[in-house]
Amino acid sequence: MTIQHAAELLSSAKRGLALTGAGISAESGIPTFRGEGGLWTKYDPVKVASINYFMADPAAYWKVSKERGSLALAAKPNPAHDALARLESAGHLSAVATQNTDGLHQDSGSKRVIELHGSGRMVQCLDCGHREPRAAVQRRLDVEMPPRCPMCGGTFLKPTVVLFGEAMPRTELEEAERRARACDLFVVVGSSLVVYPAAYMPLHAKDAGATLAIVNLTETPHDGQADLLVRGSAAGVLASVVDRLQPRPVAR
Ligand code: NAD
Ligand code: ZN
């Protein structure tokens, strides 16, 4: 019943916006931060993911990042990413705003991806600005800890992700907010909705009159605002939704 309702909402949307979080990539083998099996049951988040910690001890940061990076670089999109790409190409979604840094939306064919927390696929030297793919740095980690910049020899090579204590990219944030206020359907997939300002987006959309749907395994603080709540796995739910999409009427 809820899947059918979700399919109806999505097939009638003309400028929907999706907001995704770590939960959408869980079924691709990348652990979430919060929730069962989440990374933060293993590490202290403020330590491993803050800019101060990185600046104080890049090697300690990279030791944790090495493990995550090998999972993220090997990961493939799952049916939930594929479903969002299909919804975009069918004209129901205008974009995907994501808190993820894994690049899996782009891999599955989504064209308009707004990366609110940056990308883990690139690394930048904070001393000289040199950029190189994360995959290249990942290969050096067994013999070089922390990794060194090949241009200047510095030890502050940082993935182009937004760490705690860093500002979010302004252009991306503004674009996501603008699209949230203009969308007809806002769909959250796999996010605990506790990290701000991303978690404000569904509220902006609701205030501007959009329908709000939330697909997540566990409850979120904004469930009370949702017009449709689907508690289930992102891949299972979204694959069933696209299976039921109504074909668009043929223009005469
Ligand atoms: P989060 O870890 O706080 O929450 C993930 C949510 O997804 C939880 O509520 C959980 O119940 C739900 N979930 C888990 N598996 C699911 C599944 N199979 N289907 C549907 N829902 C599922 O993640 P968040 O809300 O994205 O926010 C935390 C931060 O984590 C962000 O800043 C993001 O940058 C970062 N992060 C990114 C990645 C990634 O790039 N893949 C992975 C972990 C964390
Ligand atoms: Zn450098």
Side-chain angles (χ1 to χ4, degrees):
M1 203 56 208
T2 46
I3 302 279
Q4 185 56 31
H5 188 185
E8 283 161 15
L9 286 178
L10 278 156
S11 47
S12 54
K14 293 191 174 65
R15 47 179 199 288
L17 178 66
L19 172 69
T20 66
I24 197 172
S25 295
E27 288 159 278
S28 292
I30 305 176
T32 56
F33 275 13
R34 300 172 187 81
E36 207 178 314
L39 266 192
W40 291 359
T41 54
K42 231 167 130 188
Y43 302 105
D44 174 351
V46 179
K47 273 199 168 174
V48 300
S50 81
I51 185 68
N52 287 345
Y53 186 73
F54 172 83
M55 296 306 289
D57 191 350
Y61 171 88
W62 275 102
K63 275 177 198 148
V64 175
S65 187
K66 181 181 176 188
E67 186 188 332
R68 266 187 81 60
S70 61
L71 289 175
L73 289 171
K76 300 273 178 283
N78 68 54
H81 299 99
D82 296 343
L84 295 185
R86 218 180 118 190
L87 286 162
E88 181 186 9
S89 68
H92 300 303
L93 288 183
S94 74
V96 176
T98 187
Q99 300 168 85
N100 296 343
T101 55
D102 55 36
L104 294 181
H105 286 300
Q106 291 91 331
D107 287 352
S108 75
S110 285
K111 300 276 180 273
R112 188 68 218 115
V113 181
I114 305 166
E115 294 184 307
L116 296 168
H117 294 167
S119 168
R121 295 257 173 109
M122 288 298 287
V123 169
Q124 183 162 21
C125 172
L126 299 187
D127 291 320
C128 76
H130 168 75
R131 285 163 75 95
E132 62 179 320
R134 163 71 190 239
V137 176
Q138 189 74 18
R139 286 193 288 273
R140 303 206 294 276
L141 293 177
D142 284 333
V143 291
E144 202 178 69
M145 188 61 83
R148 287 187 172 272
C149 172
M151 297 305 284
C152 75
T155 54
F156 293 102
L157 274 185
K158 183 185 146 307
T160 56
V161 299
V162 177
L163 296 180
F164 283 98
E166 288 191 296
M168 285 173 66
R170 180 183 283 267
T171 314
E172 279 77 2
L173 191 56
E174 284 174 358
E175 184 182 351
E177 284 177 358
R178 183 174 55 72
R179 287 181 188 264
R181 291 200 171 85
C183 72
D184 52 0
L185 174 70
F186 191 100
V187 52
V188 176
V189 185
S191 174
S192 58
L193 294 181
V194 297
V195 178
Y196 288 84
Y200 283 127
M201 308 269 168
L203 305 181
H204 293 323
K206 244 336 241 193
D207 285 349
T211 302
L212 174 61
I214 300 180
V215 180
N216 203 53
L217 266 187
T218 55
E219 61 184 35
T220 83
H222 300 332
D223 286 359
Q225 310 282 313
D227 300 285
L228 174 68
L229 262 186
V230 192
R231 284 272 158 73
S233 106
V237 170
L238 290 188
S240 311
V241 164
V242 291
D243 278 350
R244 289 169 201 225
L245 278 188
Q246 287 147 16
R248 295 194 128 188
V250 180
R252 285 165 194 267

